[in-house]
Amino acid sequence: ADWSLVFWTLCSVILPVLITLWCSFQRSRRQVLIRDIFRKSKHDWHYTDLFGQPSYCCVCAQHILQGAFCNCCGLRVSEGCLKKADQLFLCKEIMMRSNGGAHSSMPHHWIRGNVPLCSCCMICKQQCGTQPKLCDYRCVWCQYTVHDECMMDCLKTEECTFGEFRDLIIPPYYLSTINQMRKDKRTNYEKVVPYCRKHWMPVIILANTRSGNNMGETLLGEFVFDLSKIAPAKALQLCTLLPCNAVRVLVCGGDGTVGWVLDAIDEMKIKGQERYIPQVAILPLGTGNDLSNTLGWGAGYAGEVPVEQILRNVMEADGIKLDRWKVQVTNKGYYNLRKPKVFTMNNYFSIGPDALMALNFHAHREKTPSLFSSRIINKAVYFFYGTKDCLVQECKDLNKKVELELDGERIELPNLEGIIVLNIGYWGGGCRLWEGMGDEPYPLARHDDGLLEVVGVHGSFHCAQIQVKLANPVRLGQAHTVRLILKSSKMPMQVDGEPWAQGPCTVTITHKTHALMLYHSGEQTDDEASS
């Protein structure tokens, strides 16, 4: 009896362990097989443990809670049908050979089932996807949907018009035609404008998955180039295959990402590709997003606006110019052999408490990057370091340490802790610094007038008062050229949110070039939303 008890006790302990180990082995084996299919497939497969809406397998038509989906064509399949689906269904073709050249066309690319909610049939105008089964069709290019019973043979061969966003899409046959033209040493790309449209404005979309609250990673299913994997200079070479002065670029990231893309566009000018320069729109995913705010694209994006509306905004935006400035930092010293540091400024330059906050924030983020995955956490850390500086006042008596010249004229400085040189209207995550409380008749700051606005602040607490419109900045003047001389001790400086500690030096800010940007009026979005 005792041995029998020991035996069954061991079985009750060992058997669950063996089952767990076997399940773990099978799971890891399945994951290896799935990753192998993902790697070899032309589909952009991703695995999910729970679909966000009722979903049905495109192969076996069974209801599924988890499985794989393609970010490009929208296929959804169960784990067991993944290999079969990969063989049965074609994904979107980025390049498609065509003999028609400029008159090329392509049929609809229909995918059955899992149509978007509230979509209507293009034939009978009734709602699609209402039955609890795999039903109805969707074209992956034009996004039109059709009932099973409305699907006719003529629709399967009908020419696809690419739907509402045909003016933004680069058709698959276009790039193959251009590739052949380049081999023939022909560059008149305008003759290959798709379906003879006069207002074609193809959009290239660049997303930074590391910006702000990491929203860029969620958007990769909708957008094209991931800037964590491909440099913007390489992605922008696609502009040279498109008609001159027609391309628009949507940058999904913070102000730093926008500056990175604008630097790559400047490189295109150096290479003699100026006629292919695109206009730049912004989807704000960073922490501050002051440039985005200035150009009407908002203070931050968290998924509240549908992707379709974002594309409409890009289509309707107006082209404007943005001043870009050269910031040269020359170190002082008799034996200084270092080359001057040169930066490009789009937003602002500063020395003092706000640069100190940025420096502390960046140092903290480099130590523990995983903590800074939320825009709210980022702003809370900025608030903490601002409060700390209110007590410590590390930047006091700045007026005794620096000299300021505006257009060659020396400015007498009052008692200050910081100086900020502005190119755009917004600063510090949404504050209109130059206007202050708005109770004094100062002209609005502009981003295209070739002038810089220079203000002073008395400390971190004064910055906080300005942000809530309880105080005005110390307005020092406007100028085309700004020169700042740091005479002694190390001080924190920053250009567009990139901070560093700087010893005695001379900082010279001069106009560099213009960038072609897109300005969006928020009134358009409000009117469309209300309608």
Side-chain angles (χ1 to χ4, degrees):
D2 291 341
W3 283 108
S4 177
L5 180 62
V6 170
F7 172 77
W8 289 112
T9 302
L10 287 173
C11 286
S12 64
V13 173
I14 294 173
L15 189 61
V17 173
L18 292 175
I19 293 173
T20 303
L21 290 174
W22 182 81
C23 291
S24 177
F25 171 75
Q26 290 296 323
R27 190 184 301 113
S28 61
R29 186 183 173 191
R30 287 200 311 270
Q31 287 174 351
V32 170
L33 292 173
I34 289 172
R35 279 198 297 267
D36 188 56
I37 294 172
F38 284 8
R39 183 173 54 84
K40 295 178 180 178
S41 176
K42 291 185 177 180
H43 288 276
D44 185 20
W45 291 116
H46 291 267
Y47 191 84
T48 180
D49 290 324
L50 182 65
F51 287 109
Q53 67 181 71
S55 300
Y56 299 88
C57 176
C58 291
V59 177
C60 65
Q62 296 297 313
H63 180 262
I64 51 175
L65 294 175
Q66 62 181 22
F69 64 95
C70 176
N71 262 335
C72 278
C73 65
L75 275 177
R76 299 186 181 194
V77 294
S78 63
E79 186 178 313
C81 297
L82 179 58
K83 188 173 183 179
K84 192 173 182 181
D86 198 57
Q87 297 169 349
L88 285 176
F89 299 103
L90 295 174
C91 193
K92 274 185 179 179
E93 292 284 348
I94 298 175
M95 290 184 68
M96 182 184 295
R97 292 191 176 278
S98 176
N99 298 322
H103 305 287
S104 296
S105 62
M106 58 176 283
H108 290 287
H109 183 162
W110 296 109
I111 294 291
R112 187 161 185 255
N114 303 308
V115 299
L117 299 175
C118 302
S119 56
C120 293
C121 176
M122 65 181 290
I123 303 297
C124 67
K125 308 303 179 186
Q126 298 297 314
Q127 188 173 347
C128 288
T130 54
Q131 301 180 55
K133 63 177 183 178
L134 187 75
C135 62
D136 305 337
Y137 290 86
R138 174 181 61 89
C139 175
V140 299
W141 286 105
C142 63
Q143 302 301 314
Y144 288 157
T145 53
V146 182
H147 287 123
D148 286 334
E149 54 271 21
C150 295
M151 176 61 76
M152 299 173 287
D153 290 338
C154 61
L155 282 178
K156 294 181 179 179
T157 57
E158 184 184 66
E159 178 184 344
C160 181
T161 61
F162 296 97
E164 178 186 358
F165 302 109
R166 55 187 174 274
D167 285 339
L168 307 182
I169 294 173
I170 303 172
Y173 56 77
Y174 177 84
L175 290 178
S176 59
T177 307
I178 294 297
N179 191 37
Q180 185 59 45
M181 290 179 68
R182 295 187 93 181
K183 289 179 180 177
D184 299 338
K185 297 184 178 180
R186 290 181 292 154
T187 57
N188 51 339
Y189 301 153
E190 289 79 5
K191 293 184 178 180
V192 200
V193 172
Y195 30 80
C196 302
R197 295 193 62 85
K198 295 180 180 178
H199 305 291
W200 188 43
M201 52 176 80
V203 172
I204 300 171
I205 307 180
L206 313 177
N208 187 355
T209 56
R210 299 175 183 174
S211 288
N213 56 354
N214 297 332
M215 190 68 193
E217 195 164 351
T218 333
L219 295 168
L220 284 182
E222 313 291 346
F223 299 129
V224 184
F225 293 106
D226 181 1
L227 292 182
S228 65
K229 297 178 181 178
I230 181 170
K234 189 173 182 180
L236 289 172
Q237 286 304 302
L238 181 56
C239 296
T240 62
L241 303 178
L242 298 165
C244 304
N245 304 316
V247 183
R248 296 190 169 195
V249 169
L250 177 60
V251 181
C252 308
D255 289 344
T257 306
V258 177
W260 189 18
V261 172
L262 293 181
D263 288 341
I265 291 175
D266 285 345
E267 290 179 19
M268 292 177 67
K269 295 178 183 178
I270 296 171
K271 293 177 181 177
Q273 300 171 344
E274 194 158 357
R275 58 182 180 153
Y276 300 111
I277 297 297
Q279 295 176 305
V280 179
I282 305 171
L283 184 66
L285 303 182
T287 302
N289 303 312
D290 291 305
L291 181 57
S292 169
N293 224 345
T294 300
L295 300 179
W297 296 101
Y301 176 76
E304 68 280 2
V305 181
V307 172
E308 293 82 3
Q309 185 57 52
I310 294 170
L311 295 177
R312 292 186 194 107
N313 294 343
V314 174
M315 290 174 68
E316 296 164 359
D318 301 316
I320 59 168
K321 289 184 177 181
L322 171 73
D323 291 325
R324 303 193 78 209
W325 301 81
K326 176 184 175 183
V327 180
Q328 181 170 301
V329 182
T330 307
N331 293 315
K332 283 188 173 182
Y334 293 106
Y335 303 104
N336 181 32
L337 300 177
R338 296 180 185 174
K339 290 183 179 180
K341 288 187 277 189
V342 178
F343 304 89
T344 300
M345 183 184 85
N346 302 312
N347 299 2
Y348 39 74
F349 163 87
S350 70
I351 177 173
D354 67 321
L356 179 63
M357 284 186 277
L359 186 63
N360 289 330
F361 173 83
H362 277 257
H364 198 165
R365 185 166 63 175
E366 285 180 3
K367 290 180 182 177
T368 52
S370 58
L371 295 177
F372 297 85
S373 58
S374 164
R375 192 180 289 129
I376 295 175
I377 292 176
N378 295 351
K379 291 188 176 182
V381 174
Y382 267 107
F383 175 77
F384 168 76
Y385 283 119
T387 306
K388 177 186 173 185
D389 186 63
C390 288
L391 304 174
V392 180
Q393 294 184 321
E394 293 183 35
C395 303
K396 64 181 179 179
D397 298 327
L398 179 70
N399 52 298
K400 298 177 182 178
K401 301 172 184 176
V402 302
E403 294 179 4
L404 177 66
E405 293 179 5
L406 302 182
D407 289 336
E409 182 180 345
R410 184 173 174 181
I411 304 298
E412 290 296 327
L413 296 175
N415 186 22
L416 296 173
E417 285 192 29
I419 294 173
I420 303 167
V421 182
L422 297 159
N423 178 45
I424 60 176
Y426 285 91
W427 164 87
C431 168
R432 295 196 68 90
L433 183 60
W434 178 251
E435 286 81 13
M437 293 189 294
D439 57 346
E440 299 175 16
Y442 278 90
L444 294 176
R446 292 184 59 86
H447 49 266
D448 58 355
D449 57 358
L451 281 173
L452 294 167
E453 288 73 37
V454 186
V455 302
V457 292
H458 296 301
S460 296
F461 186 68
H462 186 208
C463 290
Q465 287 179 309
I466 296 170
Q467 287 188 318
V468 294
K469 293 189 178 295
L470 292 178
N472 285 315
V474 181
R475 297 180 182 88
L476 300 173
Q478 293 178 298
H480 298 89
T481 303
V482 175
R483 192 163 178 261
L484 188 144
I485 303 168
L486 178 60
K487 296 181 287 187
S488 62
S489 73
K490 268 195 174 184
M491 291 293 292
M493 295 183 181
Q494 70 161 340
V495 174
D496 292 351
E498 297 298 325
W500 74 97
Q502 178 65 47
C505 67
T506 299
V507 179
T508 307
I509 305 176
T510 54
H511 193 269
K512 179 182 178 181
T513 185
H514 284 104
L516 300 177
M517 307 298 291
L518 289 169
Y519 179 83
H520 170 66
S521 172
E523 295 177 0
Q524 295 173 350
T525 304
D526 296 339
D527 293 342
E528 289 161 0
S530 61
S531 61

